[in-house]
Amino acid sequence: MEGDIAEMGKFIGAGLATMGLGGAGIGVGHIAGNFLAGALRNPSAAPGQMANLFVGIAFAEALGIFSFLIALLLMFAV
Amino acid sequence: MATEAHGEAGKAVGMPQLDFSTWPNQIFWLLVTLVVIYLVLSKIALPRIGAVLADRKSTITNDLAAAEELKQRAVAAEKAYNDALATARTEAAKIVAQAKAEIQKDLDAATATADAEIAAKAAESEKTIAVIRDGAAAAVAEVARDVAGELVAALGGKADASAVTAAVTARLKG
Amino acid sequence: MATEEHAGGLQIHPMDQFVVKPLFGDGPIEWYTPTNVTLWMGIAVLAMIALLVLSTRRRAIVPSRGQSVAEMFYGFIHKMVEDVAGHEGLKFFPYIMTLFMFVFLSNMLGLIPMSFTTTSHIAVTAVLALLVFLTVTLVGFYRKGIGFLSMFWVSSAPLILRPILAIIELISYFVRPLSHSIRLGGNLMAGHAVIKVFAGFAGAMGVASVVPIAAIAAIYGLELLVAAVQAYVFTILTCVYLRDAVGDAHH
């Protein structure tokens, strides 16, 4: 391994940045789980809330995608 | 990764997405694409589909209205039929009652005639029976007298005709 | 990096599939050069025409299969715009339909093996998101004038919190095009890169490569879902942003 210190730092940083995706996973799981809990209580209201479900998942996911983007930037662009 | 071999611009850009030399190209072609799609959609596709959907909706509405009308007609026909049926039934009941009344009248008259006839016949019969009974009673008295006279003679007595007759008459009465 | 890979013997280039190449020759990429971007965007246009124009040319009252699909797309987006952006938003229906059809078809065409995914490029998604952002901002100011700014001034909050909330709302408003574009591009890029990485494993593992191949099949199914859901999310977020500009009720 004849890489330099900066190269190593990039890889470590990219690896650390991917941890942010775990937060997005928690958030998306939380939304989907709560939706399911609500839908089981009141199944007749569930189809009308599908749009809100997807919007909420999209917002939660966006922040995870940011950390993924930072990882990619560290790997390839810095 | 291995960008030196693959990056078109020959620069050290690992992500093709961040190779800014291709951005004007992509943006230009994207805008062309979007304009084409927008024109095709707004001039041809969307009005056509919208018209088809509206057509279908009006067709369905018309068909439903026609079906509703037919249903109304069927209901009216059924009602007329029921009315006719009820009228016929009352008519029939009336005729039946009339016939029954007429028959009753005839029957009553016939019964009265028959009753009168029967009464007449009964009276006549009664009279005949009385005559027969009287005849029979007289015959019985005569036979009794003869038998009593013969009995007295057989027993060795001398039959006194008047005494025998009185005795038999008293016996018959008793 | 290249030296490492040669040492390890494992050659995976997950990003090669995103390289923009000229269709003819090997010259530099000018803004007008026909590239694989051009090719696949053109295929998307043709697919759109086949899906929405050719299938409906009989205008049948009782639809054929193709026409049913076209009507389903129409009804789906029409209902979404009406439900989310309100009745006023229906004026923008062709615009939103354009965005949806482009994103959806690009995502789906990108899943064909050896194809090129135009929507995995930040340049493309950033332009789409900026178009939405500019549309919403301009329409908002055109329709509501200076009152459009009141959406940053949360009147239901306590007075002391309002400046802070205004700053947060302002930042989130300007982050919108960024998250809007990165979400779409990042999702597709990540999915395609993951498939490529697994494909690289399959090449190096001999008989045991049935495992990565099975994994690719599973991820491919997931990517189909992601492609459809990201197109849906992109469109519905456009409607949500548009509601701020045209609707009367806002948060």
Side-chain angles (χ1 to χ4, degrees), chain B residues 1-2 6 8 16-17 23 25-30 33 38 41 46 48 50 52-53 56, chain C residues 1 15 18 20 30-33 35 38 41 52-53 56-57 61 67 71 102 120-121 189:
Chain B
M1 293 182 180
H6 296 278
E8 281 301 316
Q17 280 87 351
W23 278 44
N25 180 272
Q26 295 190 48
I27 293 170
F28 169 69
W29 287 112
L30 171 65
T33 308
Y38 182 82
L41 282 181
L46 296 184
R48 187 188 285 178
V52 167
L53 288 181
R56 177 168 319 143
Chain C
M1 281 167 69
M15 292 305 182
F18 302 124
V20 178
E30 302 295 334
W31 59 271
Y32 52 83
T33 315
T35 55
T38 319
M41 283 182 181
L52 294 186
V53 178
T56 57
R57 69 184 183 284
I61 292 293
Q67 195 181 334
E71 285 169 10
F102 175 72
S120 70
H121 272 262
M189 192 203 322

mmCIF file of all heavy atoms in Angstrom, chain B residues 1-2 6 8 16-17 23 25-30 33 38 41 46 48 50 52-53 56, chain C residues 1 15 18 20 30-33 35 38 41 52-53 56-57 61 67 71 102 120-121 189:
data_model
loop_
_atom_site.group_PDB
_atom_site.id
_atom_site.type_symbol
_atom_site.label_atom_id
_atom_site.label_comp_id
_atom_site.label_asym_id
_atom_site.label_seq_id
_atom_site.Cartn_x
_atom_site.Cartn_y
_atom_site.Cartn_z
ATOM 1 N N MET B 1 -12.285 6.190 -9.593
ATOM 2 C CA MET B 1 -11.578 4.936 -9.866
ATOM 3 C C MET B 1 -11.169 4.882 -11.324
ATOM 4 O O MET B 1 -12.002 4.956 -12.226
ATOM 5 C CB MET B 1 -12.501 3.750 -9.595
ATOM 6 C CG MET B 1 -12.841 3.602 -8.133
ATOM 7 S SD MET B 1 -13.872 2.152 -7.927
ATOM 8 C CE MET B 1 -14.134 2.203 -6.171
ATOM 9 N N ALA B 2 -9.929 4.779 -11.548
ATOM 10 C CA ALA B 2 -9.390 4.589 -12.893
ATOM 11 C C ALA B 2 -9.914 5.636 -13.852
ATOM 12 O O ALA B 2 -10.279 5.344 -14.977
ATOM 13 C CB ALA B 2 -9.709 3.188 -13.408
ATOM 14 N N HIS B 6 -10.651 6.482 -18.286
ATOM 15 C CA HIS B 6 -12.019 6.542 -18.802
ATOM 16 C C HIS B 6 -12.584 7.951 -18.906
ATOM 17 O O HIS B 6 -13.503 8.160 -19.673
ATOM 18 C CB HIS B 6 -12.941 5.682 -17.933
ATOM 19 C CG HIS B 6 -12.580 4.234 -17.986
ATOM 20 N ND1 HIS B 6 -12.987 3.430 -19.000
ATOM 21 C CD2 HIS B 6 -11.818 3.482 -17.163
ATOM 22 C CE1 HIS B 6 -12.504 2.221 -18.810
ATOM 23 N NE2 HIS B 6 -11.787 2.226 -17.696
ATOM 24 N N GLU B 8 -13.502 11.275 -20.159
ATOM 25 C CA GLU B 8 -13.401 11.735 -21.532
ATOM 26 C C GLU B 8 -12.496 12.945 -21.641
ATOM 27 O O GLU B 8 -11.743 13.077 -22.594
ATOM 28 C CB GLU B 8 -14.802 12.059 -22.057
ATOM 29 C CG GLU B 8 -15.599 10.836 -22.462
ATOM 30 C CD GLU B 8 -14.914 10.049 -23.547
ATOM 31 O OE1 GLU B 8 -14.405 10.638 -24.506
ATOM 32 O OE2 GLU B 8 -14.879 8.810 -23.409
ATOM 33 N N PRO B 16 -18.353 10.967 -13.180
ATOM 34 C CA PRO B 16 -18.733 11.640 -14.432
ATOM 35 C C PRO B 16 -19.759 12.743 -14.185
ATOM 36 O O PRO B 16 -19.820 13.707 -14.941
ATOM 37 C CB PRO B 16 -19.333 10.506 -15.261
ATOM 38 C CG PRO B 16 -18.776 9.254 -14.683
ATOM 39 C CD PRO B 16 -18.580 9.514 -13.240
ATOM 40 N N GLN B 17 -20.544 12.591 -13.087
ATOM 41 C CA GLN B 17 -21.550 13.613 -12.786
ATOM 42 C C GLN B 17 -20.911 14.967 -12.497
ATOM 43 O O GLN B 17 -21.520 16.001 -12.684
ATOM 44 C CB GLN B 17 -22.370 13.203 -11.556
ATOM 45 C CG GLN B 17 -23.445 12.209 -11.845
ATOM 46 C CD GLN B 17 -22.953 10.790 -11.785
ATOM 47 O OE1 GLN B 17 -21.760 10.541 -11.677
ATOM 48 N NE2 GLN B 17 -23.880 9.835 -11.871
ATOM 49 N N TRP B 23 -21.478 19.378 -18.826
ATOM 50 C CA TRP B 23 -22.749 19.953 -18.370
ATOM 51 C C TRP B 23 -23.484 20.731 -19.454
ATOM 52 O O TRP B 23 -24.701 20.544 -19.601
ATOM 53 C CB TRP B 23 -22.533 20.818 -17.119
ATOM 54 C CG TRP B 23 -22.486 20.007 -15.873
ATOM 55 C CD1 TRP B 23 -21.818 18.840 -15.702
ATOM 56 C CD2 TRP B 23 -23.149 20.268 -14.648
ATOM 57 N NE1 TRP B 23 -22.007 18.369 -14.442
ATOM 58 C CE2 TRP B 23 -22.830 19.229 -13.759
ATOM 59 C CE3 TRP B 23 -23.994 21.293 -14.204
ATOM 60 C CZ2 TRP B 23 -23.317 19.172 -12.466
ATOM 61 C CZ3 TRP B 23 -24.468 21.250 -12.914
ATOM 62 C CH2 TRP B 23 -24.141 20.181 -12.049
ATOM 63 N N ASN B 25 -23.533 20.374 -22.594
ATOM 64 C CA ASN B 25 -24.126 19.399 -23.508
ATOM 65 C C ASN B 25 -25.393 18.785 -22.930
ATOM 66 O O ASN B 25 -26.459 18.775 -23.565
ATOM 67 C CB ASN B 25 -23.072 18.321 -23.780
ATOM 68 C CG ASN B 25 -23.576 17.255 -24.714
ATOM 69 O OD1 ASN B 25 -24.165 16.289 -24.271
ATOM 70 N ND2 ASN B 25 -23.370 17.441 -26.015
ATOM 71 N N GLN B 26 -25.295 18.302 -21.689
ATOM 72 C CA GLN B 26 -26.462 17.656 -21.071
ATOM 73 C C GLN B 26 -27.611 18.623 -20.916
ATOM 74 O O GLN B 26 -28.771 18.282 -21.178
ATOM 75 C CB GLN B 26 -26.091 17.114 -19.700
ATOM 76 C CG GLN B 26 -25.080 16.014 -19.752
ATOM 77 C CD GLN B 26 -24.949 15.364 -18.406
ATOM 78 O OE1 GLN B 26 -25.938 15.033 -17.789
ATOM 79 N NE2 GLN B 26 -23.733 15.193 -17.941
ATOM 80 N N ILE B 27 -27.280 19.842 -20.460
ATOM 81 C CA ILE B 27 -28.356 20.808 -20.206
ATOM 82 C C ILE B 27 -29.042 21.182 -21.516
ATOM 83 O O ILE B 27 -30.276 21.262 -21.597
ATOM 84 C CB ILE B 27 -27.792 22.053 -19.477
ATOM 85 C CG1 ILE B 27 -27.347 21.643 -18.083
ATOM 86 C CG2 ILE B 27 -28.826 23.148 -19.420
ATOM 87 C CD1 ILE B 27 -26.559 22.708 -17.369
ATOM 88 N N PHE B 28 -28.230 21.363 -22.564
ATOM 89 C CA PHE B 28 -28.819 21.705 -23.863
ATOM 90 C C PHE B 28 -29.783 20.614 -24.323
ATOM 91 O O PHE B 28 -30.933 20.888 -24.671
ATOM 92 C CB PHE B 28 -27.701 21.903 -24.886
ATOM 93 C CG PHE B 28 -28.198 21.991 -26.295
ATOM 94 C CD1 PHE B 28 -28.945 23.094 -26.711
ATOM 95 C CD2 PHE B 28 -27.953 20.980 -27.202
ATOM 96 C CE1 PHE B 28 -29.416 23.164 -28.008
ATOM 97 C CE2 PHE B 28 -28.437 21.048 -28.491
ATOM 98 C CZ PHE B 28 -29.160 22.142 -28.902
ATOM 99 N N TRP B 29 -29.300 19.383 -24.289
ATOM 100 C CA TRP B 29 -30.166 18.311 -24.800
ATOM 101 C C TRP B 29 -31.365 18.079 -23.887
ATOM 102 O O TRP B 29 -32.454 17.740 -24.349
ATOM 103 C CB TRP B 29 -29.374 17.014 -24.978
ATOM 104 C CG TRP B 29 -28.452 17.097 -26.146
ATOM 105 C CD1 TRP B 29 -27.092 17.126 -26.126
ATOM 106 C CD2 TRP B 29 -28.818 17.210 -27.524
ATOM 107 N NE1 TRP B 29 -26.581 17.238 -27.384
ATOM 108 C CE2 TRP B 29 -27.626 17.292 -28.271
ATOM 109 C CE3 TRP B 29 -30.045 17.262 -28.201
ATOM 110 C CZ2 TRP B 29 -27.608 17.410 -29.654
ATOM 111 C CZ3 TRP B 29 -30.025 17.387 -29.576
ATOM 112 C CH2 TRP B 29 -28.828 17.456 -30.295
ATOM 113 N N LEU B 30 -31.178 18.296 -22.586
ATOM 114 C CA LEU B 30 -32.315 18.172 -21.674
ATOM 115 C C LEU B 30 -33.389 19.195 -22.017
ATOM 116 O O LEU B 30 -34.582 18.867 -22.077
ATOM 117 C CB LEU B 30 -31.848 18.364 -20.223
ATOM 118 C CG LEU B 30 -32.982 18.458 -19.211
ATOM 119 C CD1 LEU B 30 -33.736 17.145 -19.134
ATOM 120 C CD2 LEU B 30 -32.471 18.839 -17.839
ATOM 121 N N THR B 33 -35.181 18.185 -25.077
ATOM 122 C CA THR B 33 -36.097 17.075 -24.784
ATOM 123 C C THR B 33 -37.348 17.562 -24.083
ATOM 124 O O THR B 33 -38.466 17.177 -24.434
ATOM 125 C CB THR B 33 -35.377 16.051 -23.906
ATOM 126 O OG1 THR B 33 -34.149 15.721 -24.513
ATOM 127 C CG2 THR B 33 -36.211 14.810 -23.724
ATOM 128 N N TYR B 38 -42.970 18.645 -23.860
ATOM 129 C CA TYR B 38 -44.041 19.562 -23.472
ATOM 130 C C TYR B 38 -44.959 19.847 -24.653
ATOM 131 O O TYR B 38 -46.190 19.829 -24.521
ATOM 132 C CB TYR B 38 -43.437 20.863 -22.934
ATOM 133 C CG TYR B 38 -44.456 21.834 -22.459
ATOM 134 C CD1 TYR B 38 -45.008 21.717 -21.188
ATOM 135 C CD2 TYR B 38 -44.910 22.870 -23.271
ATOM 136 C CE1 TYR B 38 -45.972 22.589 -20.741
ATOM 137 C CE2 TYR B 38 -45.874 23.751 -22.836
ATOM 138 C CZ TYR B 38 -46.396 23.601 -21.577
ATOM 139 O OH TYR B 38 -47.359 24.453 -21.139
ATOM 140 N N LEU B 41 -47.046 16.782 -25.534
ATOM 141 C CA LEU B 41 -48.084 16.537 -24.530
ATOM 142 C C LEU B 41 -49.186 17.584 -24.624
ATOM 143 O O LEU B 41 -50.370 17.249 -24.674
ATOM 144 C CB LEU B 41 -47.473 16.541 -23.129
ATOM 145 C CG LEU B 41 -46.732 15.286 -22.700
ATOM 146 C CD1 LEU B 41 -46.227 15.454 -21.287
ATOM 147 C CD2 LEU B 41 -47.642 14.078 -22.765
ATOM 148 N N LEU B 46 -52.334 15.256 -24.346
ATOM 149 C CA LEU B 46 -53.232 15.537 -23.224
ATOM 150 C C LEU B 46 -54.625 15.961 -23.674
ATOM 151 O O LEU B 46 -55.613 15.463 -23.130
ATOM 152 C CB LEU B 46 -52.599 16.576 -22.301
ATOM 153 C CG LEU B 46 -51.306 16.101 -21.637
ATOM 154 C CD1 LEU B 46 -50.789 17.135 -20.661
ATOM 155 C CD2 LEU B 46 -51.528 14.785 -20.923
ATOM 156 N N ARG B 48 -56.103 15.081 -26.334
ATOM 157 C CA ARG B 48 -56.758 13.894 -26.888
ATOM 158 C C ARG B 48 -57.275 12.989 -25.765
ATOM 159 O O ARG B 48 -58.445 12.589 -25.761
ATOM 160 C CB ARG B 48 -55.763 13.135 -27.748
ATOM 161 C CG ARG B 48 -56.393 11.988 -28.484
ATOM 162 C CD ARG B 48 -55.356 11.156 -29.175
ATOM 163 N NE ARG B 48 -54.838 11.786 -30.372
ATOM 164 C CZ ARG B 48 -53.872 11.237 -31.113
ATOM 165 N NH1 ARG B 48 -53.343 10.113 -30.741
ATOM 166 N NH2 ARG B 48 -53.447 11.828 -32.187
ATOM 167 N N GLY B 50 -57.782 13.773 -22.663
ATOM 168 C CA GLY B 50 -58.832 14.467 -21.909
ATOM 169 C C GLY B 50 -60.161 14.378 -22.630
ATOM 170 O O GLY B 50 -61.209 14.127 -22.019
ATOM 171 N N VAL B 52 -61.079 12.078 -24.776
ATOM 172 C CA VAL B 52 -61.584 10.698 -24.726
ATOM 173 C C VAL B 52 -62.244 10.433 -23.378
ATOM 174 O O VAL B 52 -63.339 9.858 -23.296
ATOM 175 C CB VAL B 52 -60.437 9.700 -24.986
ATOM 176 C CG1 VAL B 52 -60.879 8.297 -24.625
ATOM 177 C CG2 VAL B 52 -60.009 9.745 -26.430
ATOM 178 N N LEU B 53 -61.586 10.908 -22.318
ATOM 179 C CA LEU B 53 -62.143 10.668 -20.981
ATOM 180 C C LEU B 53 -63.481 11.388 -20.820
ATOM 181 O O LEU B 53 -64.446 10.822 -20.298
ATOM 182 C CB LEU B 53 -61.157 11.118 -19.908
ATOM 183 C CG LEU B 53 -59.916 10.243 -19.746
ATOM 184 C CD1 LEU B 53 -59.032 10.770 -18.641
ATOM 185 C CD2 LEU B 53 -60.310 8.814 -19.436
ATOM 186 N N ARG B 56 -66.091 9.570 -22.760
ATOM 187 C CA ARG B 56 -66.545 8.344 -22.103
ATOM 188 C C ARG B 56 -67.476 8.693 -20.950
ATOM 189 O O ARG B 56 -68.501 8.053 -20.748
ATOM 190 C CB ARG B 56 -65.338 7.572 -21.582
ATOM 191 C CG ARG B 56 -65.759 6.341 -20.829
ATOM 192 C CD ARG B 56 -64.601 5.440 -20.560
ATOM 193 N NE ARG B 56 -63.718 5.360 -21.701
ATOM 194 C CZ ARG B 56 -62.411 5.285 -21.592
ATOM 195 N NH1 ARG B 56 -61.862 5.281 -20.417
ATOM 196 N NH2 ARG B 56 -61.665 5.221 -22.653
ATOM 197 N N MET C 1 -5.067 4.994 -6.895
ATOM 198 C CA MET C 1 -6.145 4.021 -6.852
ATOM 199 C C MET C 1 -5.958 2.961 -7.918
ATOM 200 O O MET C 1 -6.161 1.776 -7.668
ATOM 201 C CB MET C 1 -7.491 4.723 -7.076
ATOM 202 C CG MET C 1 -7.985 5.416 -5.845
ATOM 203 S SD MET C 1 -9.324 6.507 -6.254
ATOM 204 C CE MET C 1 -10.589 5.338 -6.667
ATOM 205 N N MET C 15 -18.499 3.578 -11.863
ATOM 206 C CA MET C 15 -18.896 4.888 -12.378
ATOM 207 C C MET C 15 -18.776 4.986 -13.893
ATOM 208 O O MET C 15 -19.177 5.984 -14.469
ATOM 209 C CB MET C 15 -18.043 5.982 -11.719
ATOM 210 C CG MET C 15 -18.337 6.145 -10.253
ATOM 211 S SD MET C 15 -20.088 6.435 -9.988
ATOM 212 C CE MET C 15 -20.114 6.657 -8.227
ATOM 213 N N PHE C 18 -21.708 5.977 -16.164
ATOM 214 C CA PHE C 18 -22.268 7.331 -16.201
ATOM 215 C C PHE C 18 -21.487 8.265 -17.118
ATOM 216 O O PHE C 18 -21.809 9.441 -17.201
ATOM 217 C CB PHE C 18 -22.287 7.926 -14.792
ATOM 218 C CG PHE C 18 -23.075 7.096 -13.821
ATOM 219 C CD1 PHE C 18 -22.497 6.623 -12.655
ATOM 220 C CD2 PHE C 18 -24.398 6.789 -14.079
ATOM 221 C CE1 PHE C 18 -23.228 5.861 -11.767
ATOM 222 C CE2 PHE C 18 -25.129 6.018 -13.187
ATOM 223 C CZ PHE C 18 -24.540 5.560 -12.032
ATOM 224 N N VAL C 20 -20.259 10.387 -20.059
ATOM 225 C CA VAL C 20 -20.908 10.963 -21.244
ATOM 226 C C VAL C 20 -19.947 10.853 -22.415
ATOM 227 O O VAL C 20 -18.824 11.338 -22.357
ATOM 228 C CB VAL C 20 -21.262 12.442 -20.979
ATOM 229 C CG1 VAL C 20 -21.875 13.053 -22.211
ATOM 230 C CG2 VAL C 20 -22.196 12.547 -19.803
ATOM 231 N N GLU C 30 -18.756 19.380 -27.193
ATOM 232 C CA GLU C 30 -19.278 20.742 -27.205
ATOM 233 C C GLU C 30 -20.729 20.703 -26.758
ATOM 234 O O GLU C 30 -21.311 19.632 -26.583
ATOM 235 C CB GLU C 30 -19.166 21.336 -28.608
ATOM 236 C CG GLU C 30 -17.762 21.359 -29.165
ATOM 237 C CD GLU C 30 -16.850 22.281 -28.378
ATOM 238 O OE1 GLU C 30 -17.363 23.234 -27.753
ATOM 239 O OE2 GLU C 30 -15.624 22.050 -28.371
ATOM 240 N N TRP C 31 -21.355 21.857 -26.615
ATOM 241 C CA TRP C 31 -22.728 21.853 -26.107
ATOM 242 C C TRP C 31 -23.699 21.222 -27.103
ATOM 243 O O TRP C 31 -24.779 20.760 -26.734
ATOM 244 C CB TRP C 31 -23.185 23.257 -25.708
ATOM 245 C CG TRP C 31 -23.147 24.267 -26.811
ATOM 246 C CD1 TRP C 31 -22.110 25.053 -27.149
ATOM 247 C CD2 TRP C 31 -24.198 24.561 -27.719
ATOM 248 N NE1 TRP C 31 -22.422 25.827 -28.220
ATOM 249 C CE2 TRP C 31 -23.708 25.551 -28.586
ATOM 250 C CE3 TRP C 31 -25.497 24.094 -27.897
ATOM 251 C CZ2 TRP C 31 -24.478 26.072 -29.611
ATOM 252 C CZ3 TRP C 31 -26.271 24.619 -28.909
ATOM 253 C CH2 TRP C 31 -25.745 25.602 -29.763
ATOM 254 N N TYR C 32 -23.316 21.214 -28.414
ATOM 255 C CA TYR C 32 -24.249 20.705 -29.412
ATOM 256 C C TYR C 32 -23.922 19.282 -29.837
ATOM 257 O O TYR C 32 -24.635 18.708 -30.653
ATOM 258 C CB TYR C 32 -24.222 21.624 -30.654
ATOM 259 C CG TYR C 32 -22.840 21.865 -31.176
ATOM 260 C CD1 TYR C 32 -22.236 20.934 -32.018
ATOM 261 C CD2 TYR C 32 -22.119 23.002 -30.808
ATOM 262 C CE1 TYR C 32 -20.952 21.128 -32.470
ATOM 263 C CE2 TYR C 32 -20.835 23.204 -31.255
ATOM 264 C CZ TYR C 32 -20.252 22.269 -32.093
ATOM 265 O OH TYR C 32 -18.980 22.446 -32.534
ATOM 266 N N THR C 33 -22.841 18.705 -29.298
ATOM 267 C CA THR C 33 -22.436 17.382 -29.759
ATOM 268 C C THR C 33 -23.508 16.347 -29.431
ATOM 269 O O THR C 33 -23.971 16.289 -28.295
ATOM 270 C CB THR C 33 -21.137 16.953 -29.059
ATOM 271 O OG1 THR C 33 -20.244 18.050 -29.068
ATOM 272 C CG2 THR C 33 -20.521 15.749 -29.739
ATOM 273 N N THR C 35 -24.530 13.151 -28.025
ATOM 274 C CA THR C 35 -23.865 12.188 -27.146
ATOM 275 C C THR C 35 -24.837 11.084 -26.773
ATOM 276 O O THR C 35 -25.974 11.060 -27.246
ATOM 277 C CB THR C 35 -23.375 12.883 -25.866
ATOM 278 O OG1 THR C 35 -24.495 13.520 -25.271
ATOM 279 C CG2 THR C 35 -22.308 13.892 -26.174
ATOM 280 N N THR C 38 -27.995 12.486 -25.588
ATOM 281 C CA THR C 38 -28.948 12.774 -26.662
ATOM 282 C C THR C 38 -29.716 11.523 -27.053
ATOM 283 O O THR C 38 -30.948 11.535 -27.181
ATOM 284 C CB THR C 38 -28.191 13.284 -27.897
ATOM 285 O OG1 THR C 38 -27.174 14.158 -27.466
ATOM 286 C CG2 THR C 38 -29.124 13.965 -28.843
ATOM 287 N N MET C 41 -32.172 10.406 -24.252
ATOM 288 C CA MET C 41 -33.295 11.341 -24.127
ATOM 289 C C MET C 41 -34.220 11.211 -25.327
ATOM 290 O O MET C 41 -35.449 11.267 -25.191
ATOM 291 C CB MET C 41 -32.785 12.768 -23.990
ATOM 292 C CG MET C 41 -32.264 13.086 -22.609
ATOM 293 S SD MET C 41 -31.730 14.767 -22.505
ATOM 294 C CE MET C 41 -31.158 14.820 -20.827
ATOM 295 N N LEU C 52 -48.196 7.607 -25.151
ATOM 296 C CA LEU C 52 -49.309 8.533 -24.965
ATOM 297 C C LEU C 52 -49.961 8.987 -26.260
ATOM 298 O O LEU C 52 -51.098 9.446 -26.242
ATOM 299 C CB LEU C 52 -48.841 9.771 -24.181
ATOM 300 C CG LEU C 52 -48.420 9.518 -22.744
ATOM 301 C CD1 LEU C 52 -48.139 10.831 -22.055
ATOM 302 C CD2 LEU C 52 -49.477 8.759 -21.990
ATOM 303 N N VAL C 53 -49.237 8.913 -27.383
ATOM 304 C CA VAL C 53 -49.816 9.426 -28.629
ATOM 305 C C VAL C 53 -50.272 8.283 -29.523
ATOM 306 O O VAL C 53 -51.420 8.230 -29.942
ATOM 307 C CB VAL C 53 -48.798 10.320 -29.365
ATOM 308 C CG1 VAL C 53 -49.391 10.807 -30.666
ATOM 309 C CG2 VAL C 53 -48.419 11.501 -28.495
ATOM 310 N N THR C 56 -53.199 6.127 -28.267
ATOM 311 C CA THR C 56 -54.530 6.740 -28.147
ATOM 312 C C THR C 56 -55.057 7.203 -29.498
ATOM 313 O O THR C 56 -56.041 7.934 -29.542
ATOM 314 C CB THR C 56 -54.483 7.940 -27.197
ATOM 315 O OG1 THR C 56 -53.510 8.857 -27.692
ATOM 316 C CG2 THR C 56 -54.136 7.529 -25.792
ATOM 317 N N ARG C 57 -54.410 6.811 -30.617
ATOM 318 C CA ARG C 57 -54.816 7.417 -31.889
ATOM 319 C C ARG C 57 -56.196 6.942 -32.331
ATOM 320 O O ARG C 57 -56.827 7.566 -33.176
ATOM 321 C CB ARG C 57 -53.780 7.148 -32.969
ATOM 322 C CG ARG C 57 -53.697 5.702 -33.407
ATOM 323 C CD ARG C 57 -52.567 5.516 -34.418
ATOM 324 N NE ARG C 57 -52.529 4.150 -34.890
ATOM 325 C CZ ARG C 57 -52.046 3.133 -34.187
ATOM 326 N NH1 ARG C 57 -51.552 3.364 -32.972
ATOM 327 N NH2 ARG C 57 -52.057 1.923 -34.655
ATOM 328 N N ILE C 61 -63.850 4.676 -27.237
ATOM 329 C CA ILE C 61 -64.620 4.828 -26.001
ATOM 330 C C ILE C 61 -64.300 3.662 -25.078
ATOM 331 O O ILE C 61 -64.140 3.813 -23.873
ATOM 332 C CB ILE C 61 -66.123 4.875 -26.315
ATOM 333 C CG1 ILE C 61 -66.455 6.168 -27.063
ATOM 334 C CG2 ILE C 61 -66.944 4.800 -25.038
ATOM 335 C CD1 ILE C 61 -66.294 7.412 -26.252
ATOM 336 N N GLN C 67 -54.183 2.162 -24.715
ATOM 337 C CA GLN C 67 -54.909 3.384 -24.356
ATOM 338 C C GLN C 67 -55.231 3.417 -22.862
ATOM 339 O O GLN C 67 -55.233 4.475 -22.245
ATOM 340 C CB GLN C 67 -56.180 3.468 -25.195
ATOM 341 C CG GLN C 67 -56.807 4.846 -25.152
ATOM 342 C CD GLN C 67 -58.074 4.905 -25.957
ATOM 343 O OE1 GLN C 67 -58.259 4.138 -26.888
ATOM 344 N NE2 GLN C 67 -58.943 5.810 -25.595
ATOM 345 N N GLU C 71 -54.354 6.401 -20.379
ATOM 346 C CA GLU C 71 -55.373 7.052 -19.545
ATOM 347 C C GLU C 71 -55.028 6.932 -18.068
ATOM 348 O O GLU C 71 -55.328 7.824 -17.278
ATOM 349 C CB GLU C 71 -56.739 6.426 -19.823
ATOM 350 C CG GLU C 71 -57.296 6.888 -21.145
ATOM 351 C CD GLU C 71 -58.505 6.075 -21.535
ATOM 352 O OE1 GLU C 71 -58.994 5.301 -20.694
ATOM 353 O OE2 GLU C 71 -58.951 6.223 -22.676
ATOM 354 N N PHE C 102 -40.896 12.521 -18.295
ATOM 355 C CA PHE C 102 -39.458 12.486 -18.565
ATOM 356 C C PHE C 102 -38.723 11.713 -17.478
ATOM 357 O O PHE C 102 -37.914 10.821 -17.764
ATOM 358 C CB PHE C 102 -38.903 13.909 -18.671
ATOM 359 C CG PHE C 102 -37.419 13.932 -18.838
ATOM 360 C CD1 PHE C 102 -36.856 13.543 -20.033
ATOM 361 C CD2 PHE C 102 -36.585 14.292 -17.797
ATOM 362 C CE1 PHE C 102 -35.485 13.527 -20.192
ATOM 363 C CE2 PHE C 102 -35.217 14.270 -17.949
ATOM 364 C CZ PHE C 102 -34.666 13.891 -19.150
ATOM 365 N N SER C 120 -29.558 10.131 -13.737
ATOM 366 C CA SER C 120 -28.583 9.933 -12.677
ATOM 367 C C SER C 120 -27.528 11.046 -12.691
ATOM 368 O O SER C 120 -26.622 11.049 -11.861
ATOM 369 C CB SER C 120 -27.895 8.581 -12.822
ATOM 370 O OG SER C 120 -27.055 8.597 -13.940
ATOM 371 N N HIS C 121 -27.649 11.973 -13.614
ATOM 372 C CA HIS C 121 -26.678 13.057 -13.700
ATOM 373 C C HIS C 121 -27.198 14.290 -12.978
ATOM 374 O O HIS C 121 -28.331 14.711 -13.195
ATOM 375 C CB HIS C 121 -26.381 13.387 -15.162
ATOM 376 C CG HIS C 121 -25.270 12.551 -15.710
ATOM 377 N ND1 HIS C 121 -23.982 12.991 -15.799
ATOM 378 C CD2 HIS C 121 -25.249 11.280 -16.140
ATOM 379 C CE1 HIS C 121 -23.208 12.028 -16.277
ATOM 380 N NE2 HIS C 121 -23.961 10.970 -16.490
ATOM 381 N N MET C 189 -28.112 7.084 -9.042
ATOM 382 C CA MET C 189 -26.679 6.822 -9.128
ATOM 383 C C MET C 189 -26.301 5.710 -8.164
ATOM 384 O O MET C 189 -25.583 4.762 -8.533
ATOM 385 C CB MET C 189 -25.941 8.100 -8.771
ATOM 386 C CG MET C 189 -24.464 8.079 -9.087
ATOM 387 S SD MET C 189 -23.563 9.260 -8.100
ATOM 388 C CE MET C 189 -24.658 10.642 -8.021
#
